Amino acid sequence: MKQRMVMVISTLLNPKLLVADEVTSALDVSTQRAVALALAGFRDRDLVHAMIVITHDVSLVYQIADTILVMYAGKLAEKAPTDVIVERPLHPYTRALIAALPEVGVQYAGKRLTGIPGGPPSLRPPPPGCRFRDRCPVAFDRCAEQPPFVEVEPGHSVACWRAS
Protein backbone atom coordinates (compact mmCIF):
# COMPACT_ATOMS: atom_id res chain seq x y z
CA MET A 1 0.00 0.00 0.00
CA LYS A 2 2.89 2.36 0.78
CA GLN A 3 4.40 1.80 -2.68
CA ARG A 4 1.10 2.56 -4.40
CA MET A 5 0.66 5.69 -2.28
CA VAL A 6 4.17 6.92 -3.14
CA MET A 7 3.42 6.31 -6.83
CA VAL A 8 0.24 8.38 -6.67
CA ILE A 9 1.96 11.20 -4.77
CA SER A 10 4.78 11.21 -7.34
CA THR A 11 2.31 12.15 -10.08
CA LEU A 12 0.65 15.09 -8.29
CA LEU A 13 2.86 17.76 -9.86
CA ASN A 14 2.55 16.31 -13.38
CA PRO A 15 6.23 15.31 -13.68
CA LYS A 16 7.97 15.22 -17.03
CA LEU A 17 9.72 11.97 -16.04
CA LEU A 18 8.83 9.27 -13.51
CA VAL A 19 11.64 6.87 -12.56
CA ALA A 20 10.35 3.63 -11.04
CA ASP A 21 13.26 1.57 -9.73
CA GLU A 22 12.32 -2.04 -8.86
CA VAL A 23 8.82 -0.80 -8.08
CA THR A 24 7.38 -4.31 -7.75
CA SER A 25 10.16 -6.00 -5.81
CA ALA A 26 9.06 -7.82 -2.64
CA LEU A 27 5.38 -7.61 -3.64
CA ASP A 28 2.99 -10.52 -4.08
CA VAL A 29 1.73 -11.27 -7.59
CA SER A 30 -1.66 -9.56 -7.22
CA THR A 31 -0.05 -6.39 -5.85
CA GLN A 32 2.53 -6.46 -8.66
CA ARG A 33 -0.35 -6.54 -11.13
CA ALA A 34 -2.03 -3.58 -9.39
CA VAL A 35 1.22 -1.59 -9.57
CA ALA A 36 1.62 -2.44 -13.27
CA LEU A 37 -1.96 -1.30 -13.94
CA ALA A 38 -1.34 1.91 -12.00
CA LEU A 39 1.79 2.69 -14.03
CA ALA A 40 -0.07 1.97 -17.27
CA GLY A 41 -2.88 4.23 -16.05
CA PHE A 42 -0.44 7.07 -15.35
CA ARG A 43 0.83 6.71 -18.93
CA ASP A 44 -2.61 6.38 -20.54
CA ARG A 45 -4.08 9.37 -18.67
CA ASP A 46 -0.99 11.54 -19.38
CA LEU A 47 -0.30 11.97 -15.67
CA VAL A 48 3.39 11.60 -16.51
CA HIS A 49 5.07 12.53 -19.77
CA ALA A 50 7.59 9.66 -19.71
CA MET A 51 8.60 6.77 -17.47
CA ILE A 52 11.77 4.83 -16.93
CA VAL A 53 11.01 1.52 -15.26
CA ILE A 54 14.12 -0.21 -13.92
CA THR A 55 13.42 -3.86 -13.21
CA HIS A 56 14.53 -7.46 -13.58
CA ASP A 57 10.91 -8.42 -14.26
CA VAL A 58 10.47 -8.67 -18.05
CA SER A 59 6.80 -9.57 -17.66
CA LEU A 60 6.22 -6.25 -15.84
CA VAL A 61 7.78 -4.07 -18.53
CA TYR A 62 6.02 -6.08 -21.22
CA GLN A 63 2.70 -4.88 -19.75
CA ILE A 64 3.56 -1.18 -19.66
CA ALA A 65 6.54 -0.29 -21.87
CA ASP A 66 6.65 0.95 -25.44
CA THR A 67 10.39 0.25 -25.68
CA ILE A 68 12.62 -2.10 -23.71
CA LEU A 69 16.33 -1.54 -23.20
CA VAL A 70 18.16 -4.63 -21.92
CA MET A 71 21.44 -4.22 -20.04
CA TYR A 72 23.90 -6.83 -18.86
CA ALA A 73 26.59 -6.07 -16.26
CA GLY A 74 26.24 -2.33 -16.86
CA LYS A 75 26.44 -2.44 -20.66
CA LEU A 76 23.73 -1.99 -23.27
CA ALA A 77 22.78 -5.32 -24.85
CA GLU A 78 19.62 -4.60 -26.87
CA LYS A 79 16.96 -1.93 -27.38
CA ALA A 80 13.77 -2.30 -29.39
CA PRO A 81 10.01 -1.86 -29.25
CA THR A 82 8.51 -4.16 -26.62
CA ASP A 83 6.92 -6.60 -29.07
CA VAL A 84 10.19 -6.94 -31.01
CA ILE A 85 12.18 -7.69 -27.83
CA VAL A 86 9.70 -10.38 -26.79
CA GLU A 87 9.06 -11.92 -30.23
CA ARG A 88 12.40 -11.47 -32.04
CA PRO A 89 15.24 -10.89 -29.55
CA LEU A 90 18.70 -10.82 -31.15
CA HIS A 91 21.15 -10.61 -28.25
CA PRO A 92 21.88 -13.99 -26.63
CA TYR A 93 21.23 -12.54 -23.15
CA THR A 94 17.85 -11.14 -24.22
CA ARG A 95 16.98 -14.51 -25.78
CA ALA A 96 17.90 -16.28 -22.53
CA LEU A 97 15.80 -13.84 -20.48
CA ILE A 98 12.74 -14.36 -22.68
CA ALA A 99 13.26 -18.16 -22.74
CA ALA A 100 13.39 -18.21 -18.93
CA LEU A 101 9.88 -16.74 -18.61
CA PRO A 102 7.24 -19.30 -17.67
CA GLU A 103 4.45 -19.73 -20.21
CA VAL A 104 0.91 -18.98 -19.09
CA GLY A 105 -1.22 -22.10 -18.74
CA VAL A 106 1.68 -24.56 -18.97
CA GLN A 107 2.04 -27.19 -16.22
CA TYR A 108 5.67 -27.51 -15.11
CA ALA A 109 5.24 -30.55 -12.84
CA GLY A 110 7.34 -32.86 -15.01
CA LYS A 111 9.45 -30.16 -16.62
CA ARG A 112 11.95 -27.75 -15.10
CA LEU A 113 12.42 -24.15 -16.10
CA THR A 114 15.99 -23.49 -17.12
CA GLY A 115 17.97 -20.47 -16.07
CA ILE A 116 21.04 -18.89 -17.59
CA PRO A 117 24.07 -21.04 -16.74
CA GLY A 118 26.99 -19.51 -14.86
CA GLY A 119 27.03 -16.25 -12.99
CA PRO A 120 27.49 -12.59 -13.81
CA PRO A 121 31.07 -11.32 -14.14
CA SER A 122 32.88 -9.38 -11.47
CA LEU A 123 32.81 -5.69 -12.27
CA ARG A 124 35.89 -4.92 -10.15
CA PRO A 125 37.46 -4.58 -12.68
CA PRO A 126 35.04 -5.40 -15.50
CA PRO A 127 36.23 -7.98 -18.00
CA PRO A 128 37.27 -6.77 -21.45
CA GLY A 129 35.01 -7.45 -24.41
CA CYS A 130 31.43 -8.63 -24.23
CA ARG A 131 30.53 -9.08 -20.57
CA PHE A 132 28.09 -11.91 -21.39
CA ARG A 133 30.64 -14.02 -23.31
CA ASP A 134 31.45 -16.50 -20.51
CA ARG A 135 27.75 -17.44 -20.30
CA CYS A 136 26.93 -17.05 -23.99
CA PRO A 137 26.07 -20.14 -26.05
CA VAL A 138 27.29 -18.50 -29.29
CA ALA A 139 30.46 -16.76 -28.04
CA PHE A 140 33.56 -16.91 -30.23
CA ASP A 141 37.04 -15.34 -30.25
CA ARG A 142 35.91 -11.89 -31.40
CA CYS A 143 33.75 -11.56 -28.26
CA ALA A 144 36.99 -10.64 -26.44
CA GLU A 145 36.40 -7.22 -28.09
CA GLN A 146 33.46 -5.07 -26.99
CA PRO A 147 30.88 -5.13 -29.80
CA PRO A 148 29.43 -1.75 -30.82
CA PHE A 149 25.80 -0.95 -30.02
CA VAL A 150 24.42 -0.66 -33.57
CA GLU A 151 21.00 -0.27 -35.15
CA VAL A 152 20.26 -3.48 -37.07
CA GLU A 153 16.84 -2.33 -38.25
CA PRO A 154 14.87 0.85 -37.60
CA GLY A 155 14.32 1.17 -33.85
CA HIS A 156 16.19 -2.06 -33.03
CA SER A 157 19.78 -1.84 -31.75
CA VAL A 158 22.00 -4.59 -30.39
CA ALA A 159 25.55 -5.05 -29.11
CA CYS A 160 26.53 -8.50 -30.37
CA TRP A 161 28.97 -9.61 -33.07
CA ARG A 162 26.61 -12.44 -34.07
CA ALA A 163 23.47 -10.29 -34.32
CA SER A 164 24.24 -8.41 -37.53
Side-chain angles (χ1 to χ4, degrees), residues 73-97:
K75 290 283 189 178
L76 299 175
E78 188 164 5
K79 177 185 174 224
T82 300
D83 290 340
V84 173
I85 287 285
V86 171
E87 295 166 14
R88 295 187 327 267
L90 295 177
H91 194 281
Y93 177 60
T94 309
R95 287 181 180 166
L97 280 177

Side-chain angles (χ1 to χ4, degrees), residues 6 8 23 26 34 36 43-44 46 76-77 85-86 103 143 158-160:
V6 168
V8 170
V23 71
R43 177 200 61 211
D44 296 343
D46 289 327
L76 299 175
I85 287 285
V86 171
E103 295 178 52
C143 297
V158 66
C160 180

